[in-house]
Amino acid sequence: MAYTLGIDIGTYETKGVLVDETGHIHAQAARGHKMLVPQPGWAEHRPEEDWWGDFVHVCRTILSDSGIDPADIKAVACSAIGPCMLPVDARGTPLMNGVLYGVDGRAEAEVRELTERIGEDTIIARCGNALTSQSVGPKILWLKRQRPEIYANTAHILTSTSFLVQRLTGEVVIDHFTAASFSPLYDVVTQGWVDDLAPDILPLDKLPRLLWSNEIAGTITEAAAAATGLAAGTPVTAGTIDAAVEAFSVGVDQPGDMMMMYGSTIFIVLRTAGRTPDPRIWYAPWLFEGAHTAMAGLATSGTLTHWFRDQFARDLAVDAAFPTLAEEAATSPPGANGLLMLPYFSGERTPIHDMNAKGAFFGLNLTHTRGDMYRALIEGIAYGTRHVTDTFAETGQSPTRLLAVGGGTKNRLWLQATSDITGIDQMVCEKTSGAAYGDAFLAALAIGAVDRAHITDWNPVQETVRATPDPIYEKHYALFRRLYEQTKDIAKEMG
């Protein structure tokens, strides 16, 4: 039997699956790691330990547990958090920790400067996206200015997936979906690297070669085979960002299909018929040539639930904490007994793009319980999610169907509150292995073992969560929007 292997590096966990040609999972493994926050507004991973170390561990665990011959694995695909910024030397050795995606706001000054210098209209027309904390270009400029010795020794700027593919194959590549977040260095019209908008950021020969996600980047080298246990010569795809391939894993591939990923952040991918130039949301070419996506993401979501558990549920065993918190929150009514939360604990990404935004619990009194606070936290994330879906609707891009993915879908309170607050039904597919499962399908697609339509056979819809709106949610959503606007100046002064 022929197999494909998919491995995904997430913000807090790496997962891998071994799949046969019918989509059946024969083995899977996971390994946790931490997100480093060396100072407020920064977010990092250790590329050797968290990216490559996890990949090797998960790969070897799957091979050991499955007992299959590595030669029977016909292709490998990987994905990871992104877009990240990692400078490496000529040997591919990391020169610092990987700077993470939009949760890292260290380049705020460079974002402002480049926007003023180039002009937001020009940036959106050429790059498809306004410059934000999600953009890699400003972070490279930050590197040049704040870490000149590292910049001088940089042979290539990689993202997380590029680093893994380089370790596996020796090839320095990046997929177009990820590259679109390297603004202002990627032109969405020509779909290539450009330096005329900001020639001072980086020589273009230090950027990876562009590929589509279903293209083969190279094959497993002898050194990678020795490290991972995979067979030398096994094809490896170009890879992509985890959110994109997780969307594909549940069948998002036609205009109007939307994925909502419940992870450390909420991330939304909407397949569109064309480019959607709006500074509040992000654009990227889809995984395949000739297709388009609009995207959005909150800065904190699952991260907030972990923060709440660690700070307010220390009396509970770690394994029992989330189920217990959910039970307590279920005793609190919609509206959390008059409690409202702003989820901006790491600033906010879409649609407000405000790294100065602050988190808050508003309306606390001595009658409130831990269950009220946890419910308010869940509802606050859902209000932030509705702000995004409302923004999509304002651009004329409402979904025709919404598929929910990620570990947060196991939190039924969160899932139902999101449907009730947004007014959108959500479908949940049979398999929830997420990006790693999508990677395995992309690997099969790259070698011609399946076609794109087969994903619905691999992973059919299992249930639909129906929206049951409550009038209190409309009231609280309006207050949520007002609260942010009225505290904006105070938050900025607090720094």
Side-chain angles (χ1 to χ4, degrees):
M1 183 173 286
Y3 303 89
T4 54
L5 175 68
I7 295 180
D8 172 68
I9 313 291
T11 303
Y12 292 106
E13 186 177 45
T14 295
K15 297 178 181 179
V17 295
L18 183 70
V19 177
D20 67 25
E21 62 266 26
T22 70
H24 177 70
I25 297 173
H26 286 260
Q28 52 190 318
R31 188 189 199 190
H33 52 253
K34 294 182 178 180
M35 181 178 76
L36 306 179
V37 183
Q39 66 183 65
W42 290 25
E44 299 178 353
H45 273 171
R46 303 167 302 169
E48 293 284 4
E49 296 90 340
D50 302 327
W51 297 349
W52 181 239
D54 275 18
F55 186 99
V56 170
H57 175 85
V58 167
C59 183
R60 285 196 166 275
T61 300
I62 286 174
L63 290 173
S64 174
D65 290 350
S66 67
I68 72 154
D69 185 342
D72 290 333
I73 299 177
K74 301 307 179 183
V76 175
C78 58
S79 60
I81 47 147
C84 299
M85 191 276 290
L86 175 68
V88 300
D89 65 17
R91 296 173 297 177
T93 302
L95 298 174
M96 61 182 285
N97 282 342
V99 177
L100 300 196
Y101 49 99
V103 296
D104 185 288
R106 71 183 66 194
E108 183 181 4
E110 286 75 17
V111 167
R112 288 197 305 267
E113 177 192 327
L114 288 168
T115 300
E116 291 171 3
R117 189 201 314 173
I118 302 168
E120 185 173 78
D121 290 345
T122 299
I123 294 170
I124 292 174
R126 293 283 302 279
C127 304
N129 300 284
L131 295 182
T132 69
S133 63
Q134 189 82 346
S135 308
V136 176
K139 292 175 181 177
I140 301 173
L141 187 57
W142 176 91
L143 176 73
K144 182 178 182 180
R145 292 173 173 174
Q146 303 299 324
R147 302 291 186 270
E149 70 288 350
I150 293 178
Y151 182 89
N153 291 318
T154 296
H156 291 102
I157 295 290
L158 305 181
T159 189
S160 45
T161 314
S162 297
F163 176 70
L164 293 173
V165 174
Q166 188 270 338
R167 279 295 170 92
L168 289 168
T169 69
E171 298 293 329
V172 180
V173 303
I174 192 171
D175 66 295
H176 285 270
F177 182 90
T178 308
S181 294
F182 274 59
S183 304
L185 299 173
Y186 181 87
D187 189 312
V188 296
V189 179
T190 64
Q191 295 185 332
W193 298 124
V194 293
D195 60 3
D196 60 307
L197 295 177
D200 58 325
I201 294 181
L202 186 78
L204 297 186
D205 61 2
K206 293 180 183 288
L207 292 170
R209 176 167 56 96
L210 290 160
L211 292 174
W212 297 100
S213 295
N214 60 329
E215 293 187 281
I216 299 296
T219 58
I220 300 287
T221 65
E222 294 289 346
T228 63
L230 295 167
T234 304
V236 179
T237 72
T240 190
I241 291 175
D242 54 1
V245 74
E246 186 148 16
F248 190 55
S249 78
V250 291
V252 171
D253 198 31
Q254 298 298 318
D257 290 346
M258 176 184 278
M259 176 210 74
M260 187 174 294
M261 182 173 71
Y262 293 78
S264 56
T265 71
I266 288 284
F267 198 88
I268 295 173
V269 175
L270 174 64
R271 273 281 288 113
T272 60
R275 285 188 287 124
T276 307
D278 190 296
R280 296 172 295 175
I281 57 179
W282 300 312
Y283 164 79
W286 186 223
L287 304 178
F288 315 108
E289 189 170 6
H292 307 273
T293 52
M295 295 159 295
L298 306 189
T300 50
S301 306
T303 306
L304 274 177
T305 65
H306 282 81
W307 168 83
F308 190 91
R309 178 198 65 188
D310 295 344
Q311 301 304 320
F312 300 105
R314 296 177 183 176
D315 58 310
L316 302 175
V318 172
D319 292 344
F322 284 133
T324 302
L325 288 172
E327 289 174 6
E328 292 177 0
T331 66
S332 179
N337 282 316
L339 197 55
L340 190 62
M341 190 209 72
L342 293 181
Y344 308 142
F345 282 49
S346 296
E348 186 55 292
R349 297 193 288 173
T350 55
I352 62 175
H353 299 295
D354 184 356
M355 291 307 296
N356 290 311
K358 301 297 181 186
F361 281 91
F362 184 81
L364 277 167
N365 62 53
L366 293 176
T367 70
H368 284 121
T369 66
R370 182 169 66 182
D372 291 325
M373 292 184 69
Y374 191 63
R375 184 175 191 108
L377 181 144
I378 293 298
E379 291 177 352
I381 298 169
Y383 293 133
T385 303
R386 176 168 169 182
H387 197 177
V388 170
T389 58
D390 282 358
T391 302
F392 274 116
E394 290 165 14
T395 69
Q397 300 290 342
S398 294
T400 54
R401 63 180 191 139
L402 174 57
L403 296 116
V405 301
T409 58
K410 296 180 177 65
N411 186 328
R412 303 303 298 184
L413 177 70
W414 189 3
L415 198 63
Q416 188 65 57
T418 301
S419 276
D420 294 348
I421 288 170
T422 62
I424 303 174
D425 295 343
Q426 299 177 84
M427 292 180 282
V428 181
C429 286
E430 180 182 278
K431 298 183 179 70
T432 58
S433 304
Y437 191 72
D439 289 328
F441 187 87
L442 269 181
L445 183 66
I447 60 173
V450 295
D451 61 40
R452 283 158 63 175
H454 282 144
I455 190 61
T456 55
D457 298 324
W458 276 36
N459 199 11
V461 172
Q462 185 175 56
E463 66 169 316
T464 299
V465 179
R466 303 291 182 187
T468 55
D470 190 298
I472 192 65
Y473 288 142
E474 289 299 315
K475 177 183 176 181
H476 276 207
Y477 176 60
L479 293 173
F480 174 91
R481 298 282 296 271
R482 284 174 56 196
L483 184 60
Y484 163 66
E485 292 296 333
Q486 291 176 4
T487 59
K488 191 186 301 185
D489 291 340
I490 295 174
K492 189 173 184 179
E493 287 183 24
M494 292 178 68

